[in-house]
Amino acid sequence: SSLIWSLTRAAFLEAGNWFRAHLQDKHRDARVAINLSPRQVRRADITHALTQLLKEADIPASWIELEIPECGIAQDPIQGRRRLNELREAGFALCLDGFTATRLSLLHLAELPFDRIKLDRSLCDGACEEGPVRLICEHLTAVCHSLQIRLTAYPMESEEQSALFRQMGFDLMQGHEIAPPQSILAFQTG
């Protein structure tokens, strides 16, 4: 819809402004993550549309990590792979957002060009108790690291959760325990 594209455009423009003002000189390898909707991911012209936004924002693709929802790829993994390869060739970093292992298989992880995978809440919550879900998360860590894919646990809502996922070898954590949502001004001055 036009509202979603308006928000995506605003995110690209703000990412460019924010990155140039606060990250460019200090953290050259940092990226700003921008979520795409499933409908956006399935657009045949997604790469062209996003590269136009890069030009408008006057930023390189290497500054942006696109968070791609699992359901945006799962309906047609072959077409999804084509779109992801086009985005990768354009220079974007790619994150699979909300991975549950119910829509995409581990084989897809090996075939799709993701830099990072963010686990779905159901896996993260389930891993907090001894049992099969924790074993899945532990083994998923090994698989992702073998494929050179970074793994993010989300949402981290307690120190115990954060400690568990650090112990399992997760690369990144996201959530209230790590950093609660805040405005750009609060982030800049905090």
Side-chain angles (χ1 to χ4, degrees), residues 45-89:
D45 68 339
I46 183 69
T47 302
H48 175 75
L50 294 179
T51 55
Q52 291 304 307
L53 290 178
L54 289 173
K55 289 177 186 173
E56 185 178 351
D58 191 29
I59 56 175
S62 61
W63 286 5
I64 304 295
E65 178 182 67
L66 299 173
E67 292 199 1
I68 312 291
E70 183 180 21
C71 61
I73 302 298
Q75 285 183 345
D76 187 350
I78 294 170
Q79 190 62 257
R81 181 176 29 211
R82 283 189 201 115
R83 301 258 192 289
L84 293 173
N85 285 331
E86 289 171 5
L87 291 166
R88 169 54 64 80
E89 287 172 17

Side-chain angles (χ1 to χ4, degrees), residues 102-113:
T102 58
R103 295 183 186 121
L104 293 176
S105 71
L106 293 178
L107 182 58
H108 289 114
L109 297 184
E111 295 173 345
L112 298 171

Side-chain angles (χ1 to χ4, degrees), residues 5-82:
W5 277 106
S6 295
L7 292 172
T8 302
R9 178 180 176 271
F12 269 74
L13 294 173
E14 187 58 38
N17 293 336
W18 189 70
F19 204 105
R20 277 189 293 278
H22 304 287
L23 293 176
Q24 181 173 321
D25 295 330
K26 298 175 189 170
H27 305 283
R28 294 187 184 276
D29 61 343
R31 294 185 179 116
V32 175
I34 297 177
N35 291 72
L36 296 181
S37 74
R39 181 178 287 172
Q40 287 175 306
V41 173
R42 289 190 288 266
R43 276 182 59 161
D45 68 339
I46 183 69
T47 302
H48 175 75
L50 294 179
T51 55
Q52 291 304 307
L53 290 178
L54 289 173
K55 289 177 186 173
E56 185 178 351
D58 191 29
I59 56 175
S62 61
W63 286 5
I64 304 295
E65 178 182 67
L66 299 173
E67 292 199 1
I68 312 291
E70 183 180 21
C71 61
I73 302 298
Q75 285 183 345
D76 187 350
I78 294 170
Q79 190 62 257
R81 181 176 29 211
R82 283 189 201 115

Side-chain angles (χ1 to χ4, degrees), residues 11 21 30 48 51 69 83 88 92 96 112 114-115 120 134 147 165 169-170 173 184:
H48 175 75
T51 55
R83 301 258 192 289
R88 169 54 64 80
F92 292 101
L96 177 60
L112 298 171
F114 288 108
D115 301 287
D120 182 71
R134 183 179 293 182
L147 295 171
F165 283 93
F170 277 65
M173 280 160 258
I184 289 176

